[in-house]
Amino acid sequence: SADGGRTLSLDSIPMGLPMSDPTAWATAMNNLGMAPMGMTGQPLLPDFDPALGMMTGIPPINPMMPGLGIVPPPIPPDMPAVKEIIHCKSCTLFPPNPHLPPPATRARPPGCKTVFVGGLPENGTEQIIMEVFEQCGEVIAIRKSKKNFCHIRFAEEFMVDKALYLSGYRIRLGSSTDKKDTGRLHVDFAQARDDLYEWECKQRMLAREERHRRRLEEERFRLPSPPPVVHYSDHECSVVAEKLKDDTKFLEAIQTLLTWIERGEVNRRTANNFYSMIQSANSHVRRLVNEKAAHEKEMEEAKEKFKLALSGILVQFEQIVAVYHSASKQKAWDHFTKAQRKNISVWCKQAEEIRNIHNDELMGIRREEEMEMSDEEIEDPSEMKETEESALVSQVEALKEENDSLRWQLDAYRNEVELLKQEQGKASRDEDTTKEQQMKLLQQALQGMQKHLLKVQEEYKKKEAELEKVREDKLKIETLLENLKEQDSGPARVCACSQEKDSPAEQTPSNSPVKSEREVLLVGIISTFLHVHPFGASIEYICSYLQRLDSKICTAEVEVLMTRLQNTFRQELSGVGASLEKRWKFCGFDGLKMT
């Protein structure tokens, strides 16, 4: 059909039957979502509006749907459709009981254009099937079976929905009442490889178009490529060197220099030129640091300016709010009218809200500054401990140096005292008084130095004690961390540790295969357990019994212990094929005779 779904191409259908009931035919065509047309093509209802169907709940078919591959929504089950009798040339279709539930259908396959039609009369032919279903659209192929069903493939997907409308109709060939000439149609979706292949091809085409569209969008929004970098030459090198000295052209020149170095233009001949250019680039470091510092200073000044302005605004708001509060006192409040009091109270609330918002903003700025300062001061606790320890070590070293210097000074003073004593005998008696005074002064200085030295030694001992305490705390923390890690590692770690412990025990030469009292207890318990199991038991069964007594016991530990005691325990294979199993048995009585 030309319009794709609103009208039927009835002119191409050789149907010349008389229309006994035009109203019923118009109702049936309207239920299919088509404009009611006569057999010769004239409209039965000249005032028919395709957008307003005569039957409630059946949406009109959009002509754009075939092109887009969109299938119209199915009829809601809670809205029953009134179906009419449909008269064809060779048969008549009677509608089902409207009170019965709608016929069930399977899930619609993607791109479905094929329907299954069951319940055909035994005497039904392909011409009759074509006559009935050609009203729904162009039929491409009909595959009829001998068991009263067939498959019909349409040209478009929306035609399948029209064919599903005929599901439940009773068909009668001519006016015959024979059972072979009657049947109840059951129309359902069918899964065909051709439909799926066409649908996949269509999806691939749409995906290609979408990729092409996205590529065009990306190319449209892609930034233009940078200009190409010129090749290295002595002339270009001098040009770039001049640009590197200019602040405005520095960025362009540094990109060119970087490209030349990455290309491998540096050799023995050009090394000096490149070094001079790198030196020119390095001279800009101080300029950039100064610019950054200037910008940071401007930012800090702007912050301070904003804080000052905000604090001034808050002061003015406080004064306004104070005016409102003073006006709200009884001395002045009684002289205002009711409307004036209302306005003053509203203005007071608004001013307080705005003041609180600005105050919160100012407090937030101050809080951020405090947090920044605290972040700079506060460091990681482990780093704090390390810094404290390093500070104590440095203090101890400083005290040692001070102690040594004081000792040297003390030795120097002692030497001076000895020299003074020697000179005292030679000097005259007139100078004895001055010498004695000097001696007293030196002795006092010496005593003071000794006291100071004792204090320094005491401080040194205290610092050493503190350092030892810090080291002990550090060792305790490390041991606690290791214990926590061992506890978190779980039973797997315990098993691994036991294997590691057992493996060196096996390597070390020893006369006794049992190494500890714990292993002796394990041997006794395993022997008792296997003695009551004369046919043996698997290692997993034995370990499950032992783990009830001690959850830390692992399979590897038990198996290593049992393999060491070959005269007490013996491993045997039992079963055939897939049921092959290793079992341990107790052979202590036989081993006693052998040993």
Side-chain angles (χ1 to χ4, degrees), residues 483-494:
N483 293 333
L484 288 172
K485 287 179 182 177
E486 289 175 359
Q487 289 177 4
D488 291 340
S489 61
R493 180 82 176 272
V494 175

Side-chain angles (χ1 to χ4, degrees), residues 409-425:
Q409 290 178 9
L410 186 60
D411 291 339
Y413 282 128
R414 282 176 179 170
N415 292 332
E416 288 180 2
V417 168
E418 286 177 0
L419 289 171
L420 288 172
K421 284 181 179 179
Q422 290 174 4
E423 292 174 358
Q424 188 178 7

Side-chain angles (χ1 to χ4, degrees), residues 344-363:
I344 290 171
S345 60
V346 169
W347 294 339
C348 184
K349 286 180 182 178
Q350 291 176 354
E352 285 178 348
E353 289 176 359
I354 298 170
R355 181 200 61 184
N356 293 335
I357 291 169
H358 285 73
N359 196 8
D360 292 340
E361 188 175 356
L362 184 61
M363 293 300 293

